Amino acid sequence: MKPAALVLLVAAQVTAAEPAEPVDWVNTYIGTGGSTKIGPDYGGTMPLVTTPFGMTNWTPQTRQNRISVSSYAYEDDTISGFIGTHQPAVWMGDYGYVTLMPQIGNFNPTVEYRRLPFSHADEVSPPYYHPVKLRADPARQIFAEMTATDHSAHMRFTFPANETGSVVLEATRAGTVGYVKVDAAHREIVGYNPERMDAHLSNVKLPNFKGYFVARFREPFVGQGVYCGVLPVDGQSEVTGEQVGGFAKFKAKTVEVQIGTSFISIEQARANLDAELPQWQFESTRAALQKKWNDKLGIATIEGASDDQRRIFYSGLYHALLYPKLFSENGRYYSAFDDQVHNGESYTAFSIWDTFRAENSLLTLFAPERIDGMVNALLQNYAEGGWLPKWPNPSYTNIMIGTHADSLIAEAIRKGFKGFDYELAYQATYKDAYTPPDGDTTRRWLDREPGVPYEARAGLTYARKLGYIPADKVSESASSTLEETYDDYAVAQVAKALGKTGDYRDLMERSRNYKNLFNPTRGFMQARNSDGNWASPADGWTEGDEWVYLFAPLHDIPGVMKLLGGPAAFNAKLDEHFSGRHNHHDNEPSHHYGYLYDYGGQPWKTQALVREIARDAYSNTPTGVLGNEDCGQMSAWYVFTAMGFYPVNPASAQYMIGSPLFVRTTLHLPNGRHFEISAANNSADHPYIQSARLNGRPLNEPVITYQQIESGGKLELVMGPQPSRWASGWVPGH
C-alpha cells in the first residue's frame, strides 16, 4: 500500500467523529505502518486496547508476532485473532500470550484457515475500544469488539443470523508445550502458555514461568473441545502439548467472553477476572477505560495546535503511558528473576537504554504516583536476581549497553521521590559501578549473545584499570565507555544523597573518563586498544558512529565543549554535524543533539532545530514515527519538545528550553498544581524566543527545573521570526 493511501485511510478513521476529549485525539495507528521495511524506520507499534501501564495489552493480530515482528501491521488486510500480548517493542519477543478468534463454518484452528479479511474503513481503534468487521464473505460478517482492564479483556462477537458461531482459543504455537482445559459446565476455557521468546538472551532458567488465562463465556456452549496441532482431540476436555488450544460453539447471535490473565496461577487469573470484570457490562467497562485515558492524557491541555499536531501530541502521550508495564496482581507478583511469587508491586518492560533519556523523565511529570513502584520493581529485580536489569522482558536480557537503571534511580532521588529504600538503591547502583560481571575478561560480550551470564557493565575490569574499555577485548567498547561515565555520574548522585562522600568523589572522577577517548588530532571520540593505541575510528560503536557519540556524555556537555576548544569550536562542530546529515533522530543517542546549542551560547539554533526535527520525524500517519517507538522514548521526545523543554541530563532534574510548538500548554499536575507554558506570537514562522519570564521574573538562562514545574507557575515566552540574543550569555554550571 502506498504511503498516500495510508494517510487517507487513517484520516478517514480519526475524523469519523468530532474530537471532544483528549483521548479522541489519539491515533493508535501511528507507527503501525512500514513493516515491510523492517529496520530503523519502522515504528513497530500496535493499536493496543489497554489501561495506562496495563499488564496485558490487546490488539487484533494481522500476523504471527515474534522478535522483529509485531502482531499488527497497517498494510495487512486479514485478522487471525485478538491477542493478549506482552510484547513491548518490535525487536523484543512476547511471552505468556493468549489469542482468541471467532469463526463460522467448519472448525480449523490454523492461522491460514481462521484468518478473515477486514478493511480499515470498518475498524476504529481508540485506546479503550476496538470494533472491527470480519468478512467471511460479502453476505456473512462477524462484528468483533474489544475493551480491557489492567489484567483482563472483554470481547463481544456478533455472528451472522442463523449461523453456529465458534470461538477458538490458541494457547500455544508449534514448539511450545502448553495446557488447555474446556469446562462447559462453567462456560470456561483455562490453561497456560510458558513461551518466552527472549529466554535465550540470558542463562536464567525459569521452570515455573507460565502465562495463565481464564476465558469465561456468557452464553452456553452447544459444542466444545480441545485441539493439538490442527485437529480436535476426540473425547477429551483437556490437553497438554505443542500447538494446543480449545474451542466452543454457540447458537447465540452475540457471544461475550471475558479473559483474565496472570503469571501466578489459573486461580489468580480467575481472581483478576472477578475483581476487574465482576459483571457482564461491556459498555461500562469501555466507559471506565475511556475515563482512565482521559484523566491521564488530560494532564496536558494545549492551545494553538493544528489538528495533526494535536493528534501526534496525544498519541505520543498514549504511547509513553504504556510503559513500563504492570507486572503485579492484587499485591502479589511472579518474579522472573528467582522464579518465585512475592508480595508487592512490580513492573517490567523497561527499555532502559532508550527510555532513561526522556520517557522516564516524562513519567515523573505525568505519572508520579507510579515512580516509587517502578523503582521498587528494579530494586526487587536486584534483590531476587543479583543485579539491576538492563531490559527486563520479563527477566534479564543482555540487550544494549550500560547500566542505565542507575539513571532512573538517581533521577527519582534527585526529584524527591521517597517511596523506596535508599540504602538498597545505593547497594544496587554501587554494585553496577564497582563489580564486574562473571567472566568479564574472558568474553567479548556481543549484543544479544545467547545463554551468557548477566552482562552488567561489560569490560568493567578493564575500565577500572585503564580508564576506558579496550576495543580489542570487548565489543561496543567506545559507546560503553562513554555511556557508563554518565552512569558513574548517576551513581555519584545516589552516593551524594546518602552522604557517601568518598564514593561520590571517586565516581565523579570516574565520570570524567570519557576524556580518555577523545582524540585531539581528529577532534572525535575514538576507541582505544588495551595497549593504549587508537583503534580504528569505525570500531567500538553501538548503533552509531563517531558523530553520534561525540556528545554522548550527557552529564558534562561543558567538558566536551572544552575538549573541542571552547564554545565557538563546539558550535562549529554541531553545525557540521547537522549540515553533514549526521543527525539520526531515528535512534536514541542523537535525541539530545538538537538541544546542545543551548550550552554553546546559540540557543536560537536549538529553537530552529527542534522545530525542524519535530516537523520531519513525526506525522499523523501509520508511518509517523521515524524509528522504532522503543517503549515511548520516540514519543516522549516529541511531547517534551512540543511543550518547549527537554531533559538532556535526566539525573540533574533540569530541562533545557527549546521552542514550544503551541501557543499555550498547561500541565494540570497530579499534585494539584498547574504549570503553564505560554508562547505569545507563536507560529510556524515564529520559532525564536525573544524574551522569557518565569513566574513574572525575567528568565535569562535556557533552563528550568523539575521542582519549578512541580511547584506550579507560569513560563511566559515571547516568540519572533528572527533569532534574538535571549539566553546567549548563559554559562553552564553557573
Side-chain angles (χ1 to χ4, degrees):
M1 185 177 293
K2 296 180 180 180
L6 293 178
V7 174
L8 290 174
L9 284 172
V10 171
Q13 292 302 309
V14 297
T15 58
E18 186 68 25
E21 300 178 309
V23 73
D24 297 333
W25 290 98
V26 174
N27 177 1
T28 63
Y29 298 116
I30 291 177
T32 64
S35 61
T36 56
K37 307 174 183 177
I38 294 296
D41 58 349
Y42 173 39
T45 65
M46 293 172 277
L48 299 175
V49 176
T50 187
T51 58
F53 314 105
M55 186 180 86
T56 303
N57 306 148
W58 303 88
T59 187
Q61 186 173 39
T62 67
R63 55 183 64 182
Q64 293 279 79
N65 61 325
R66 61 181 187 274
I67 296 173
S68 80
V69 176
S70 297
S71 289
Y72 187 99
Y74 198 85
E75 294 82 3
D76 295 343
D77 58 8
T78 63
I79 288 173
S80 62
F82 296 87
I83 186 172
T85 179
H86 307 99
Q87 184 175 14
V90 65
W91 292 116
M92 301 300 291
D94 207 343
Y95 55 89
Y97 50 92
V98 60
T99 307
L100 287 83
M101 182 64 183
Q103 287 187 334
I104 51 178
N106 296 327
F107 169 81
N108 189 320
T110 64
V111 172
E112 293 74 18
Y113 179 86
R114 74 183 192 230
R115 64 166 54 115
L116 293 173
F118 80 105
S119 166
H120 294 299
D122 294 326
E123 179 188 43
V124 180
S125 186
Y128 56 88
Y129 176 56
H130 195 117
V132 60
K133 291 179 182 178
L134 307 173
R135 301 190 304 274
D137 58 50
R140 299 159 70 237
Q141 297 184 349
I142 302 171
F143 183 48
E145 301 170 90
M146 179 168 57
T147 189
T149 59
D150 280 343
H151 307 88
S152 307
H154 191 159
M155 299 183 189
R156 186 163 60 188
F157 304 123
T158 302
F159 294 99
N162 303 316
E163 294 268 7
T164 297
S166 61
V167 176
V168 178
L169 185 150
E170 178 188 76
T172 59
R173 302 174 190 169
T176 301
V177 176
Y179 167 77
V180 171
K181 178 181 179 180
V182 177
D183 182 348
H186 293 91
R187 303 178 188 177
E188 287 186 348
I189 301 177
V190 306
Y192 61 74
N193 175 8
E195 182 170 9
R196 287 193 297 131
M197 295 180 184
D198 294 326
H200 64 291
L201 295 176
S202 78
N203 65 349
V204 177
K205 306 301 181 186
L206 300 173
N208 293 327
F209 174 83
K210 295 178 180 68
Y212 299 94
F213 57 83
V214 172
R216 177 185 300 160
F217 294 83
R218 188 174 190 178
E219 288 70 33
F221 302 172
V222 297
Q224 66 279 332
V226 294
Y227 69 87
C228 185
V230 299
L231 298 173
V233 182
D234 291 338
Q236 293 190 27
S237 61
E238 57 186 320
V239 62
T240 301
E242 294 186 21
Q243 200 172 346
V244 298
F247 62 92
K249 297 182 178 181
F250 305 89
K251 280 295 187 184
K253 179 178 174 62
T254 299
V255 173
E256 293 187 56
V257 54
Q258 298 173 338
I259 315 97
T261 64
S262 173
F263 292 101
I264 296 175
S265 65
I266 289 175
E267 292 73 19
Q268 184 62 52
R270 186 176 287 110
N272 293 340
L273 194 54
D274 290 341
E276 296 177 2
L277 295 171
Q279 297 177 313
W280 295 96
Q281 295 183 343
F282 187 95
E283 282 73 19
S284 295
T285 301
R286 179 177 61 191
L289 184 54
Q290 181 178 6
K291 184 179 185 304
K292 281 188 177 182
W293 278 112
N294 267 324
D295 288 346
K296 268 297 166 200
L297 298 171
I299 288 174
T301 56
I302 57 178
E303 301 173 35
S306 69
D307 282 359
D308 278 347
Q309 286 176 325
R310 194 176 293 272
R311 293 200 184 282
I312 297 167
F313 181 84
Y314 283 114
S315 302
L317 263 182
Y318 157 75
H319 284 134
L321 294 170
L322 293 171
Y323 304 105
K325 295 160 62 68
L326 189 66
F327 203 60
S328 48
E329 309 167 42
N330 193 29
R332 294 197 301 160
Y333 66 93
Y334 164 81
S335 169
F337 295 86
D338 68 0
D339 205 30
Q340 302 296 318
V341 175
H342 301 268
N343 294 326
E345 182 181 12
S346 186
Y347 292 83
T348 191
F350 293 83
S351 178
I352 302 179
W353 183 81
D354 307 293
T355 60
F356 87 91
R357 305 169 195 273
E359 155 75 2
N360 187 72
S361 187
L362 192 74
L363 298 186
T364 64
L365 291 170
F366 282 82
E369 74 283 354
R370 301 270 184 168
I371 298 300
D372 287 330
M374 291 173 178
V375 173
N376 269 319
L378 296 172
L379 297 179
Q380 288 159 186
N381 297 165
Y382 163 75
E384 293 149 11
W387 296 92
L388 291 168
K390 291 177 184 289
W391 217 130
N393 193 46
S395 188
Y396 291 119
T397 61
N398 283 321
I399 294 178
M400 308 313 295
I401 59 173
T403 55
H404 300 322
D406 303 333
S407 177
L408 271 61
I409 292 169
E411 183 176 10
I413 290 176
R414 191 72 174 265
K415 291 182 174 179
F417 291 91
K418 305 284 188 184
F420 54 92
D421 186 334
Y422 277 27
E423 287 291 345
L424 183 62
Y426 185 63
Q427 178 184 326
T429 56
Y430 182 94
K431 184 174 183 180
D432 280 347
Y434 287 95
T435 304
D438 293 342
D440 190 33
T441 60
T442 61
R443 302 179 187 276
R444 284 287 296 172
W445 297 110
L446 304 174
D447 188 42
R448 291 185 178 267
E449 189 175 358
V452 300
Y454 180 62
E455 183 177 319
R457 294 198 195 181
L460 180 60
T461 304
Y462 301 110
R464 294 197 63 191
K465 179 181 179 181
L466 302 173
Y468 61 90
I469 301 170
D472 56 335
K473 301 293 185 180
V474 180
S475 70
E476 304 177 282
S477 62
S479 295
S480 294
T481 297
L482 297 171
E483 293 199 15
E484 287 167 15
T485 61
Y486 170 77
D487 293 334
D488 283 331
Y489 165 85
V491 181
Q493 307 316 303
V494 182
K496 183 178 182 180
L498 273 76
K500 312 283 187 180
T501 305
D503 292 340
Y504 169 74
R505 290 173 178 166
D506 180 55
L507 287 159
M508 286 301 291
E509 183 65 28
R510 282 174 46 179
S511 78
R512 292 183 277 273
N513 281 346
Y514 69 86
K515 298 176 183 179
N516 295 329
L517 293 193
F518 184 72
N519 184 342
T521 302
R522 300 186 62 255
F524 286 99
M525 302 293 180
Q526 188 171 340
R528 302 178 80 157
N529 290 323
S530 55
D531 61 4
N533 291 320
W534 297 111
S536 166
D539 287 351
W541 304 117
T542 298
E543 299 186 10
D545 58 16
E546 61 186 5
W547 280 104
V548 171
Y549 275 92
L550 178 57
F551 300 99
L554 309 176
H555 59 294
D556 193 15
I557 299 300
V560 176
M561 185 188 308
K562 187 174 181 181
L563 288 177
L564 288 170
F570 175 86
N571 292 329
K573 201 74 168 186
L574 281 173
D575 290 346
E576 188 180 358
H577 172 83
F578 287 102
S579 65
R581 308 176 76 86
H582 298 294
N583 199 59
H584 296 284
H585 190 75
D586 57 358
N587 209 6
E588 281 70 21
S590 296
H591 277 195
H592 63 292
Y593 267 45
Y595 287 87
L596 293 181
Y597 286 108
D598 276 355
Y599 295 84
Q602 296 183 339
W604 61 88
K605 289 184 179 177
T606 279
Q607 293 153 27
L609 265 170
V610 298
R611 288 270 189 120
E612 180 182 318
I613 295 169
R615 181 196 67 208
D616 295 345
Y618 301 84
S619 65
N620 178 34
T621 68
T623 55
V625 180
L626 184 64
N628 303 150
E629 172 58 25
D630 287 326
C631 294
Q633 172 60 28
M634 286 294 292
S635 287
W637 187 94
Y638 185 91
V639 171
F640 269 125
T641 295
M643 294 191 297
F645 52 96
Y646 183 82
V648 170
N649 175 358
S652 71
Q654 293 182 332
Y655 299 94
M656 305 308 296
I657 294 175
S659 178
L661 301 186
F662 313 136
V663 171
R664 179 174 289 101
T665 300
T666 304
L667 297 179
H668 309 283
L669 299 166
N671 65 11
R673 298 186 179 97
H674 305 274
F675 187 79
E676 179 183 311
I677 306 101
S678 67
N681 306 322
N682 201 5
S683 65
D685 58 359
H686 283 61
Y688 299 106
I689 297 174
Q690 308 297 303
S691 65
R693 300 177 71 84
L694 180 63
N695 298 329
R697 297 181 178 180
L699 178 68
N700 296 314
E701 56 188 44
V703 183
I704 56 173
T705 68
Y706 177 79
Q707 187 56 50
Q708 287 170 335
I709 295 171
E710 287 293 298
S711 296
K714 188 172 185 179
L715 174 62
E716 298 174 277
L717 307 175
V718 176
M719 312 301 291
Q722 300 296 328
S724 78
R725 300 296 299 173
W726 174 79
S728 60
W730 176 66
V731 178
H734 293 271

